Amino acid sequence: MNDLSSHERDTSAYLIETAYRDDTPLQPTGAAPVVQPGRAPQSARTTELATLCLAAGGGTALAGAGVSAVLLALSSVDPVTLAVAAGGPAVFVLAIGGMLRAAGRAARDAGTAVTTVTNNYAGSVSQTNTTATNTSRTVFGRAESRSRTR
């Protein structure tokens, strides 16, 4: 029974004729390893770290070249204008950081909003419940004072 096409027969014959595996054990020759061109043999982790260092060095060199080109272009600019232009992004980042911090504080304080408690008593009752918290945050630190009366 031969239900293969002529092309399939040719392909299978080709595979059968060219597929060969030599199972004889290898004979040691006693020759010393030959140094190959390129990087020295090392572990995979070391190779990864070396590649990372090379990439970081190249990126740093490109960034430095970009900064040098910008400073060369700005060398004829007035020093005050240059200082304002250089300080602008820092002020912008600080302003955005302050807004995000205030938004986070507002979101956190929204969960602890003051709730009004209404108690109905039938008789002479004296109740005192006072809680005061004052927190001041500055650039250099934080001061907090609390007082509680029951």
Side-chain angles (χ1 to χ4, degrees):
M1 257 200 171
N2 197 354
D3 49 339
L4 297 175
S5 69
S6 62
H7 177 67
E8 290 173 335
R9 275 193 306 273
D10 292 341
T11 305
S12 64
Y14 174 77
L15 290 175
I16 291 171
E17 291 173 8
T18 58
Y20 175 74
R21 180 182 175 120
D22 185 10
D23 291 328
T24 59
L26 297 175
Q27 298 296 322
T29 61
V34 177
V35 177
Q36 300 295 315
R39 291 188 181 165
Q42 51 194 350
S43 69
R45 175 81 174 139
T46 305
T47 304
E48 291 171 3
L49 288 175
T51 305
L52 182 66
C53 288
L54 288 172
T60 304
L62 290 175
V67 168
S68 295
V70 168
L71 290 176
L72 181 64
L74 294 176
S75 63
S76 62
V77 177
D78 180 35
V80 174
T81 306
L82 186 59
V84 169
V91 171
F92 180 72
V93 167
L94 288 174
I96 294 296
M99 283 178 31
L100 291 175
R101 193 173 333 125
R105 197 177 311 136
R108 185 183 66 235
D109 292 344
T112 61
V114 177
T115 57
T116 303
V117 178
T118 304
N119 296 319
N120 298 319
Y121 298 104
S124 60
V125 175
S126 174
Q127 179 180 0
T128 303
N129 187 1
T130 305
T131 302
T133 302
N134 183 13
T135 303
S136 300
R137 290 184 179 91
T138 65
V139 175
F140 300 107
R142 178 176 153 185
E144 188 170 324
S145 63
R146 294 182 184 202
S147 64
R148 175 177 242 160
T149 307
R150 286 216 169 230

